[in-house]
Amino acid sequence: MSFFSMQSESPRLIAAMLVTGIGGTFQYGFHISVLNSPSSFIKELVNSTCLQRYGYSLEPWEMTIIWSFIHSIFCIGGLLGSLCAGWLALAYGRKRCLLLNNVVAIISAVLMLLSKTAMSFEMILVGRLLYGINAGVSLTVHTMYMVECAPKRLRGLVGVSVASFVSMGKFCGQLMGLRELLGTEERWPWLLAFNGLTGLIQLLSLPFLPESPRYLLLDRGDRQGCERAINQLWGKKSHDSEINDMLKEHAAIRGVRSCSVVELFLKREERWQLLTVLVTFVTLQLCGINAVYLYSLDVFHAAGIPAEQVRYAALGTGLCEVTTSLACIMMIESTGKRVLFFRGYMGMATILGLLTITLNLQGQFFWMPYCSMVLIFLFIFFFSSGPAGVTASLPGDIFMQSSKPAAFTIACCLNWTGLFLIGMVFPLIVKHMGPYSFLIFLGFCFCCGLFVWLNVPETKNRTALEITEEFRKMHTKALKQDEKQGHDKIQMVKCTHL
């Protein structure tokens, strides 16, 4: 009901979700999947460039190195973007930072579009680096902006929309890469330049939206600007309760400047929030979703799907992720993030265990590939309806305003580093362990689900002050129990000696 009431009460908030999403995390998702389709055409361009310039045809191992670099440079750019995103968002504001970030996307698109005509694969490399910087900044600032623009009762719903645009970007990359659309030898530069269009859409429409209300009040001390932004985003009715909550937080952090990444690591009062971010963002990359997508192609082949049709079957996995992510928007406000985390990771751990069995028995029973196919779609369902939907916005929920930029910087750096390492190490793990590699991911999923259930409070309908207090109570109580148990053991040892 929160989603449908938001459509009628806060249409501009819906517009903000769409505008920031299409030029925000959509960019990240699109570039994760877009290179699969034109890979053969790009490799041909690389080889043709070397032949034309140097009269030298590349060896297979040389082509592999160049292709790996084209893939990985996106992650390097993303890491650079994430490292500076927190500072940029604090210095220039969330809205202005997103606006300027679109210029980077448009420049990247121009380079991609001209790369084939100029016979220069270096333009693709530079374009991928700039796309990475754009995605790194947007992944951080888009999430921060939307979480801060949402009222308390809709914060979870708006946070899930951030992950939904990642799923849409992945699906759009798969869809636009079909031969019937842009996945041809003539049109592939337009496919790689598609993000320039989404960046242009955001560049033209974002000026009509206000700055983040929380940024205006808590970072700039502009109460009037905050109230104007709230009225534009949430509708012209009384929002005194929300503003009072912001004023309480403003009073709590008065005189406290925004902390750096190093200072956040040293803050004892927020160490459990930081540990929560470290655990959840590391597990998001090590939960096995990349392994499941990789093995899905083999499963589709084993199920009898012709090789030329496998791409369309793989498109079904992307569509499943998008629809499940959208469904998560509907249920998060009634379920809560803590439950979605626990249920999602425990479901994923169970599916990974079953998938290990079915993949090992795939050649012995004709119906086993169909069981594996069902398990793959169930895994995507649990992933999209739980961890994928609620992890991205978690730093915005559990940290005070002075710590949010540093928390988002740490979270996104973990995300990009994990994506890079998985791309480099994961093929080796699969090569040596086969389906048993799922057992590694099973362990990560199970431990993260248990950690969240035991150590993280529910964030639904709570302010950052209330959540901080919940963390303090939860772990102060645990600390006192440990001290009491230690004291009892000492007393028991003394009594034994006596």
Side-chain angles (χ1 to χ4, degrees):
M1 292 302 295
S2 296
F3 177 75
F4 294 110
S5 65
M6 183 172 69
Q7 292 183 6
S8 59
E9 296 175 8
S10 311
R12 190 161 290 195
L13 186 58
I14 292 280
M17 287 169 56
L18 297 175
V19 169
T20 55
I22 199 69
T25 51
F26 179 92
Q27 310 280 52
Y28 169 74
F30 186 86
H31 281 289
I32 288 177
S33 63
V34 73
L35 277 190
N36 294 331
S37 175
S39 59
S40 59
F41 307 129
I42 296 173
K43 290 176 182 177
E44 185 180 338
L45 174 66
V46 173
N47 203 36
S48 300
T49 302
C50 292
L51 274 172
Q52 185 181 20
R53 289 182 191 169
Y54 315 113
Y56 176 71
S57 181
L58 294 172
E59 296 291 334
W61 66 270
E62 293 172 317
M63 180 64 73
T64 301
I65 291 174
I66 294 174
W67 180 246
S68 299
F69 196 55
I70 290 173
H71 255 288
S72 60
I73 200 169
F74 176 67
C75 297
I76 296 171
L79 186 59
L80 292 174
S82 296
L83 286 171
C84 64
W87 175 79
L88 289 172
L90 184 64
Y92 298 102
R94 287 41 165 164
K95 177 182 168 182
R96 190 182 300 175
C97 187
L98 286 172
L99 278 170
L100 295 175
N101 194 38
N102 291 307
V103 178
V104 180
I106 293 170
I107 294 172
S108 307
V110 172
L111 290 172
M112 294 295 190
L113 199 59
L114 298 177
S115 59
K116 184 180 178 183
T117 305
M119 288 294 290
S120 172
F121 69 89
E122 294 89 350
M123 293 175 73
I124 296 178
L125 281 169
V126 176
R128 286 280 291 175
L129 177 67
L130 292 176
Y131 268 144
I133 293 172
N134 168 263
V137 172
S138 63
L139 191 63
T140 303
V141 184
H142 169 211
T143 310
M144 202 183 301
Y145 177 81
M146 283 313 306
V147 170
E148 292 180 357
C149 282
K152 185 170 59 176
R153 64 186 180 86
L154 298 175
R155 195 176 57 224
L157 185 153
V158 170
V160 173
S161 74
V162 173
S164 297
F165 276 99
V166 175
S167 302
M168 290 179 197
K170 289 181 187 176
F171 177 70
C172 190
Q174 293 174 319
L175 181 65
M176 301 295 287
L178 295 177
R179 288 189 297 271
E180 292 81 357
L181 296 174
L182 298 177
T184 65
E185 188 173 1
E186 297 78 23
R187 296 192 291 267
W188 67 263
W190 292 94
L191 174 64
L192 298 185
F194 181 77
N195 287 85
L197 176 61
T198 57
L200 182 62
I201 291 172
Q202 188 183 87
L203 185 63
L204 296 176
S205 52
L206 192 58
F208 297 99
L209 296 174
E211 179 57 272
S212 154
R214 292 181 63 84
Y215 171 78
L216 290 171
L217 180 61
L218 300 181
D219 290 310
R220 293 300 184 206
D222 184 1
R223 179 169 179 173
Q224 290 183 344
C226 171
E227 291 175 351
R228 283 196 302 270
I230 285 175
N231 288 330
Q232 289 181 47
L233 289 167
W234 305 349
K236 292 184 178 180
K237 61 179 185 178
S238 177
H239 302 293
D240 292 340
S241 175
E242 295 277 354
I243 294 173
N244 288 335
D245 287 338
M246 291 187 201
L247 289 172
K248 289 178 184 176
E249 186 174 347
H250 186 253
I253 63 173
R254 182 173 295 166
V256 178
R257 64 179 179 83
S258 294
C259 64
S260 65
V261 170
V262 175
E263 288 169 341
L264 182 57
F265 272 103
L266 298 176
K267 285 179 75 171
R268 292 179 59 86
E269 61 270 23
E270 290 184 314
R271 62 183 176 181
W272 277 100
Q273 289 94 313
L274 180 60
L275 185 59
T276 300
V277 166
L278 294 175
V279 170
T280 53
F281 274 82
V282 167
T283 308
L284 189 66
Q285 291 298 332
L286 297 176
C287 66
I289 186 66
N290 296 311
V292 168
Y293 273 122
L294 179 66
Y295 267 98
S296 67
L297 301 178
D298 295 332
V299 169
F300 294 146
H301 280 302
I305 298 175
E308 63 273 9
Q309 302 295 325
V310 166
R311 185 175 295 177
Y312 300 97
L315 196 63
T317 59
L319 184 60
C320 175
E321 185 173 342
V322 171
T323 52
T324 309
S325 183
L326 292 174
C328 186
I329 291 177
M330 305 291 186
M331 62 184 176
I332 187 169
E333 292 301 333
S334 60
T335 306
K337 285 192 174 184
R338 184 166 173 259
V339 174
L340 287 177
F341 258 124
F342 180 74
R343 187 173 66 189
Y345 274 128
M346 290 305 174
M348 289 162 67
T350 304
I351 297 298
L352 287 172
L354 295 173
L355 200 53
T356 304
I357 297 171
T358 59
L359 287 173
N360 278 291
L361 299 176
Q362 197 159 274
Q364 300 183 27
F365 303 96
F366 76 92
W367 45 268
M368 197 59 72
Y370 299 100
C371 294
S372 299
M373 195 183 300
V374 171
L375 290 173
I376 285 171
F377 280 99
L378 282 174
F379 183 88
I380 294 171
F381 169 80
F382 279 112
F383 174 74
S384 302
S385 64
V390 298
T391 303
S393 60
L394 191 63
D397 293 336
I398 63 178
F399 281 95
M400 301 283 282
Q401 188 75 8
S402 58
S403 302
K404 279 182 185 178
F408 272 108
T409 298
I410 293 169
C412 290
C413 286
L414 285 172
N415 182 76
W416 286 105
T417 305
L419 188 65
F420 177 78
L421 292 177
I422 283 291
M424 298 295 290
V425 178
F426 172 68
L428 299 175
I429 296 175
V430 172
K431 183 178 179 180
H432 289 91
M433 296 186 64
Y436 292 105
S437 60
F438 287 127
L439 298 178
I440 299 173
F441 306 125
L442 185 157
F444 276 100
C445 290
F446 180 81
C447 292
C448 184
L450 204 60
F451 173 86
V452 170
W453 188 255
L454 295 177
N455 296 292
V456 181
E458 181 53 65
T459 62
K460 183 176 66 175
N461 292 329
R462 289 180 176 173
T463 65
L465 276 174
E466 292 168 343
I467 294 168
T468 301
E469 183 63 19
E470 273 302 308
F471 267 107
R472 190 189 66 78
K473 287 180 181 177
M474 181 180 287
H475 297 292
T476 301
K477 182 179 178 182
L479 184 63
K480 286 181 178 178
Q481 286 179 345
D482 290 342
E483 289 175 352
K484 184 176 182 299
Q485 289 175 359
H487 180 71
D488 291 343
K489 287 179 181 178
I490 291 171
Q491 293 296 326
M492 190 180 297
V493 169
K494 287 181 178 179
C495 291
T496 305
H497 283 303
L498 288 172

